Amino acid sequence: MIPRFSLPGLELARFRRATITRLALVAVVVVPLIYGGLYLWSNSDPVSRLSNLQAAVVNSDTAATVTGVDGSPRTVQAGQDLVTELTGPDAAAGFSWHATSEARAAKGLADGEYAAVLRIPKGFSAALASTGGDAPQQAKLSVTTDDAENYILGQVTNTIATTIRTKVAAGATTDYLENVYVAFSKVHDSLGQAADGAGQLKDGATRAGEGADSLVVGLGDLGTGAQRLATGTGQLRTGAADLASGTARLATGADSAAAGAGQLSTGLGRLRTATKDLPSQTAQLSDGAAQVAHGAGQVSAGAAAVSAAADRLLPAVSAAQDLGPLVDQLLTQTRALAAANPGDANLAQAVTTLQEAQQALADGSAAGVATQVRQQVGALATGAQQLSDGASAVSGGAKQLADAAPALQQGIASAADGAATLATGTRTLATGAHSAADGAAALSAGAARVDDGATSLATGTTRAQTGASQLADGTKQLADGAGTLQTQLADGSQQVPDYGEEGTARAGVVASPVAADRVKENAVPRYSDGLAPLFVPVALWVGGMVTYMVLRAVSQRALASTASSYRAAVAGWVPGALLGVAQAVVLWLVLFLAVGIASPNPVATVLFAALVAVVFTAIHQCLNALLGGVGRLVALVLLVLQLTSAGGTYPVGTSPDFFGGLHPFLPMSYAVDGLRHLVTGAPAGPVWTDVAVLLGFGVLALGVTVLACHRRRTWTVAELHPSLSL
Amino acid sequence: MTDTLIRAEGLGLRAGGRTVYSDVDLDVPAGGTLVVRGRAGSGKTSLLLTLAGRMRPSAGTLTVLGQTLPQRAAAVRRRVALAEVRGVNELDDALTVEQHVAERLVLHQPWHRPWAGGRQVAEQLERVEQFLALTAEAGADVPALRPKEFVSDVDPLERMVLGVVLALIGKPDVLVVDDVDSLRRSEDRRRAWESLAALQETTPLTVVASCSDASDVRWHPGDHRILLDLPEL
């Protein structure tokens, strides 16, 4: 919204007081719309509305008979076909055509009921049919219009007539040509298929030859292998025989082993029985030895005691020595008594004992005996000790023996069991060995037969190899032959033309060899879209003129104030520019939504039109500020000059040089150019140039307005008192 | 205050073969008041516009604010403001009081402030109200100026004061008030002159005013008032 207390707001507020002035503002906004909108609406799409015009078609043609390609007769009624096409529901031939009589058509053309009359002559079908025969004739159509009714319509009708004529001519010959092209295409296709078949045969034979080659090589390998197999089976035969004899010997050996093992088992059984009491006997031995050791110990102790006693005997012997003289005296006295009493025996006995004692004492034998006794007792003690020790050792050994005896007995039992098992095993072995011997014999016989077979195989493969070589040579020759066939078939097919799917199109081309396509870059769909870039700027120019008929170009109060001239100029321009923007927006909204003009860049189009409006208002303000009422007259002259030089309808180059020379110096040229680019969707580059140039015009206009304001700040007496006639 | 602000010698204007005014000699000090008295058609408005740099004299010399006219007219125009002058800067009947104030405010603002605020407008209206109250008789009822009233409906004195206040928005050194006698009521004329005198007491301002009858002017002793009579030619 425009702020209430801004200059444009205040300028427009002047119109708020009364309804009529408010309506004046609305009128200012819609003037360009009335001007541009109505014109563009009325011209929106005249060509598509041609069907609103009536036209007559008069058919004087009669049907003709022609012979078709396949020899069958065919009826041609081209005149009737054309009438049906023109008057049919899908007809797109410009006008609304009506089949009428000659008289009615002539009357209708004269009184304006019909815009054009199309006449189909009598021999039309026959002439068309003759194009495929020996004496072709030209078929003629005639179109009549009346320039007294409308000149432009005459031009349009000529175009329509040309289109109809071309269509008819093309349709007549297309049928004929299509058949020719189809026949060619069929021959071409068949030859092509034959060539393809030969090609496939060639490929197959080539592959078969390659297979035969491989077969020869493979059979060679097979022969070598068979030879080696025969050698191998020979060895197998010998080996199998050896195996048979070996296994026979093994069977015999196994029998002997079985017998031995039986005997071993029996022996061990007996040993087991014999050693059954060994543990108890060795235990008794151990006990006995212990008792011996004990006894010997006691002997030793006794001997030791004797030895000690002997030691004590020695002093007694010494004392006896000392008794000698006493004994000698005693003996003399006893003897003298025994001599005095020769009859007393005791005395005689005493004399003898005394003599012996004296003897004993005299030779000293008593001491020797004691020594010997001691020595012998010592020896006895030593011997007893040795005996005791020996008995103890015997006892220890017997004990160990007794301990070991059960294990020994156990081992013997195990050995006996093992021997029994061994005996059983060897018997089984013997049985097996016999079976093996039988098998080996059978193997030997089989190996002999295999060997015979392998030898036959080696012989057979050699013969197969020879045959395969012959096969390889034969298939190569077949491949060569098939290849030659294919090449020649293909060459033949190439020489026959193929039109395939395009046969119809080609028939169309030959029937109507020249056709012109109209290519329009950035095409606009309708006449009004093409005119809009001219009429929108024209409308906005008129809108700017009207704006400054209603608004004041510059406020007198502003000029009389102490504010700068620049402020006064802008204060007069901004309200006009805002109205201009409103004009542009309203105009385009109606053009887009109601008239149906389209633009690929609607926003840019409206913005550009708004810029045009703003620049135009600046120019109008400038003219008004500078020249007053005369400025409006100048604006009107400028409008006419710009209409003719902006190149809005025909390119400006088609106008006399005067307008071409004027073209670059008038703002509307750039407004038209920019809008044309935006409405058609052409590249936007030139639009920026147009924007820049228009901005330049705007700035120039504002600058001149400022100068005009500056000048108008001085009053004259004439201005002050306009009523005074000066 | 005694510097000469406006000095004219032999100032005259002829237009369309007719003499509008002639032989005007003036010497107005800064802060003084020049009262130009003459009958209708005696060239009062033209003389005032000439002194304001807004009309070119055809004879004599003129210096305003130290600037020689008409060569330095643009500089003079920036410092000499016109109250409402008929035929030159008439107020717009279709605009309200506050819209006129806003318009003048915006014209004097820099370009980047393109509109005026309601408070600014109210301040200026307050100023108008002060002038009117200042000159009213004690106890007299001063009607409030209605901001949304169209100027065509405003009381003539109020309209004149509004014109003066609008002129003052540009902070001029010289104020030009044309045709005080257009006020029909004698009381209004008296109050108009009083308000101008009161204005000069608060603002360093030189006033140039015109009338056809100076009888309502109260001449104060010692003030710098100069009466210039324009003879009818």
Side-chain angles (χ1 to χ4, degrees):
Chain A
M1 278 307 292
I2 308 167
R4 194 157 64 97
F5 287 152
S6 67
L7 293 175
L10 293 167
E11 182 66 28
L12 300 179
R14 292 172 56 221
F15 298 91
R16 277 226 301 266
R17 190 170 186 185
T19 309
I20 185 71
T21 52
R22 291 180 193 195
L23 288 177
L25 270 196
V26 174
V28 166
V29 171
V30 298
V31 158
L33 173 61
I34 294 166
Y35 199 86
L38 283 182
Y39 186 87
L40 292 173
W41 183 29
S42 73
N43 283 286
S44 61
D45 198 3
V47 176
S48 77
R49 285 181 220 284
L50 274 181
S51 58
N52 291 350
L53 299 179
Q54 313 298 314
V57 51
V58 180
N59 182 18
S60 314
D61 183 36
T62 49
T65 305
V66 295
T67 309
V69 179
D70 49 2
S72 61
R74 203 153 59 88
T75 305
V76 171
Q77 42 178 8
Q80 188 54 49
D81 291 347
L82 179 55
V83 170
T84 310
E85 197 188 332
L86 287 177
T87 58
D90 300 329
F95 302 126
S96 289
W97 294 94
H98 302 278
T100 59
S101 66
E102 173 58 42
R104 182 154 158 51
K107 184 177 176 297
L109 184 66
D111 61 21
E113 184 188 352
Y114 295 130
V117 174
L118 172 68
R119 290 186 176 84
I120 304 171
K122 191 158 185 282
F124 186 66
S125 291
L128 272 182
S130 72
T131 53
D134 299 331
Q137 292 173 293
Q138 204 172 21
K140 284 181 180 169
L141 289 171
S142 129
V143 179
T144 313
T145 56
D146 187 356
D147 272 359
E149 291 295 327
N150 190 304
Y151 173 74
I152 296 280
L153 201 56
Q155 304 297 313
V156 173
T157 309
N158 282 344
T159 313
I160 292 171
T162 308
T163 310
I164 292 171
R165 198 190 67 216
T166 315
K167 267 190 197 168
V168 169
T173 16
T174 304
D175 272 357
Y176 166 73
L177 290 171
E178 245 182 76
N179 286 332
V180 176
Y181 288 129
V182 167
F184 271 130
S185 293
K186 277 181 181 163
V187 174
H188 176 95
D189 289 352
S190 301
L191 281 178
Q193 283 165 8
D196 287 350
Q200 286 165 3
L201 177 61
K202 179 193 160 191
D203 290 349
T206 304
R207 281 206 294 278
E210 286 164 8
D213 283 345
S214 303
L215 181 59
V216 172
V217 177
L219 284 173
D221 291 349
L222 179 61
T224 314
Q227 212 63 55
R228 282 212 299 276
L229 180 61
T231 312
T233 50
Q235 289 166 357
L236 175 62
R237 184 180 209 158
T238 317
D242 292 350
L243 180 61
S245 60
T247 48
R249 285 203 300 276
L250 175 62
T252 315
D255 285 345
S256 305
Q263 288 167 3
L264 177 62
S265 177
T266 314
L268 280 172
R270 281 204 296 273
L271 179 58
R272 182 183 208 167
T273 316
T275 55
K276 201 154 78 178
D277 296 331
L278 186 60
S280 59
Q281 286 167 353
T282 51
Q284 285 169 7
L285 175 61
S286 176
D287 290 350
Q291 287 165 8
V292 172
H294 189 250
Q298 287 172 345
V299 172
S300 177
V306 173
S307 179
D311 284 348
R312 279 192 310 272
L313 185 62
L314 281 173
V317 171
S318 301
Q321 296 273 261
D322 296 338
L323 289 172
L326 194 52
V327 168
D328 285 348
Q329 264 179 343
L330 199 46
L331 187 45
T332 320
Q333 288 169 359
T334 319
R335 253 182 215 160
L337 272 170
N341 295 330
D344 203 327
N346 289 335
L347 279 156
Q349 186 64 65
V351 167
T352 330
T353 303
L354 280 166
Q355 276 181 311
E356 284 174 4
Q358 191 197 18
Q359 194 64 52
L361 281 172
D363 63 8
S365 62
V369 169
T371 302
Q372 279 176 3
V373 167
R374 203 181 49 89
Q375 283 172 344
Q376 281 168 8
V377 169
L380 177 64
T382 306
Q385 188 61 51
Q386 285 170 352
L387 178 62
S388 173
D389 291 349
S392 290
V394 169
S395 171
K399 182 86 168 78
Q400 285 169 359
L401 181 60
D403 290 347
L408 175 62
Q409 201 254 337
Q410 199 106 41
I412 289 167
S414 300
D417 289 348
T421 311
L422 177 63
T424 313
T426 46
R427 272 196 297 281
T428 311
L429 174 63
T431 312
H434 281 293
S435 302
D438 292 348
L443 176 64
S444 175
R449 284 204 297 280
V450 170
D451 186 29
D452 292 346
T455 308
S456 304
L457 176 63
T459 316
T461 47
T462 307
R463 283 207 299 276
Q465 193 179 7
T466 312
S469 294
Q470 289 166 0
L471 175 63
D473 292 346
T475 50
K476 278 193 188 71
Q477 285 165 11
L478 175 60
D480 288 349
T484 309
L485 177 61
Q486 184 209 12
T487 311
Q488 287 174 1
L489 280 175
D491 287 352
S493 157
Q494 285 303 313
Q495 285 160 18
V496 178
D498 173 27
Y499 301 108
E501 288 294 315
E502 56 171 329
T504 309
R506 196 171 269 269
V509 170
V510 174
S512 169
V514 179
D517 268 347
R518 292 184 62 218
V519 179
K520 293 165 95 176
E521 301 223 345
N522 306 309
V524 293
R526 299 186 310 174
Y527 185 52
S528 58
D529 297 53
L531 274 187
L534 170 64
F535 262 81
V536 167
V538 168
L540 291 175
W541 183 271
V542 172
M545 285 172 67
V546 174
T547 298
Y548 280 106
M549 286 176 190
V550 174
L551 298 189
R552 298 161 310 179
V554 188
S555 156
Q556 289 285 99
R557 279 192 305 286
L559 290 176
S561 78
T562 54
S564 70
S565 298
Y566 159 76
R567 294 289 298 156
V570 172
W573 170 61
V574 171
L578 287 173
L579 280 179
V581 170
Q583 291 167 344
V585 171
V586 167
L587 173 58
W588 270 113
L589 277 183
V590 172
L591 289 182
F592 281 146
L593 301 177
V595 181
I597 288 176
S599 164
N601 321 299
V603 175
T605 305
V606 173
L607 286 178
F608 185 82
L611 171 72
V612 169
V614 164
V615 170
F616 282 3
T617 48
I619 293 170
H620 288 296
Q621 185 207 12
C622 176
L623 293 173
N624 275 277
L626 198 62
L627 307 171
V630 177
R632 286 173 205 151
L633 187 64
V634 172
L636 194 62
V637 172
L638 276 178
L639 171 63
V640 176
L641 286 177
Q642 294 186 114
L643 258 174
T644 47
S645 66
T649 46
Y650 289 95
V652 73
T654 62
S655 305
D657 291 345
F658 169 75
F659 299 103
L662 215 51
H663 178 83
F665 301 105
L666 294 174
M668 199 180 288
S669 306
Y670 302 93
V672 170
D673 185 67
L675 272 179
R676 182 159 284 151
H677 278 85
L678 289 168
V679 168
T680 57
V687 178
W688 291 112
T689 311
D690 297 326
V691 167
V693 174
L694 284 171
L695 283 175
F697 273 109
V699 170
L700 180 68
L702 266 180
V704 173
T705 305
V706 172
L707 289 178
C709 286
H710 188 74
R711 217 193 56 179
R712 283 181 57 186
R713 306 195 87 163
T714 306
W715 276 257
T716 62
V717 178
E719 287 171 333
L720 197 58
H721 300 291
S723 55
L724 294 179
S725 51
L726 293 171
Chain B
M1 289 291 280
T2 52
D3 299 342
T4 296
L5 208 74
I6 305 171
R7 168 167 292 166
E9 283 176 12
L11 201 63
L13 174 62
R14 284 182 63 83
R18 170 176 170 268
T19 301
V20 182
Y21 59 81
S22 65
D23 294 326
V24 175
D25 296 321
L26 279 173
D27 199 353
V28 182
T33 302
L34 172 67
V35 178
V36 178
R37 181 172 61 183
R39 300 171 66 91
S42 61
K44 296 193 298 289
T45 304
S46 294
L47 178 58
L48 260 53
L49 289 175
T50 307
L51 298 181
R54 287 167 172 88
M55 196 176 270
R56 295 171 71 96
S58 52
T61 60
L62 175 61
T63 310
V64 178
L65 291 156
Q67 311 279 356
T68 307
L69 285 170
Q71 291 80 6
R72 303 279 299 160
V76 171
R77 283 199 294 266
R78 276 198 290 276
R79 296 170 65 186
V80 180
L82 305 181
E84 185 177 15
V85 177
R86 302 280 171 184
V88 174
N89 66 343
E90 276 165 287
L91 300 184
D92 194 325
D93 286 347
L95 288 184
T96 63
V97 172
E98 63 174 5
Q99 284 171 338
H100 275 101
V101 174
E103 179 191 64
R104 199 61 60 92
L105 282 169
V106 176
L107 276 173
H108 285 281
Q109 281 174 179
W111 64 270
H112 53 81
R113 284 189 57 200
W115 58 77
R119 247 176 73 184
Q120 286 175 280
V121 174
E123 273 173 27
Q124 297 300 328
L125 291 177
E126 182 74 12
R127 220 168 147 187
V128 175
E129 211 62 32
Q130 280 172 0
F131 277 131
L132 293 171
L134 195 67
T135 56
E137 290 294 329
D141 183 33
V142 179
L145 194 59
R146 289 183 298 280
K148 300 210 184 292
E149 195 169 20
F150 290 101
V151 290
S152 54
D153 302 335
V154 169
D155 173 79
L157 176 62
E158 287 173 349
R159 179 168 173 153
M160 176 171 284
V161 173
L162 176 63
V164 168
V165 168
L166 291 179
L168 292 178
I169 286 174
K171 295 189 170 53
D173 294 311
V174 179
L175 173 69
V176 174
V177 185
D178 188 31
D179 205 8
V180 178
D181 283 345
S182 64
L183 297 171
R184 296 269 173 90
R185 292 166 56 203
S186 161
E187 168 65 11
D188 284 353
R189 292 195 291 273
R190 186 192 60 75
R191 284 177 65 185
W193 289 114
E194 284 302 303
S195 70
L196 289 174
L199 180 64
Q200 282 176 298
E201 280 168 20
T202 55
T203 320
L205 190 71
T206 305
V207 176
V208 176
S210 71
C211 60
S212 50
D213 179 4
S215 62
D216 293 309
V217 185
R218 290 184 189 171
W219 299 97
H220 303 284
D223 65 8
H224 303 280
R225 293 195 190 215
I226 297 160
L227 180 65
L228 175 71
D229 273 313
L230 281 181
E232 194 168 358
L233 297 168

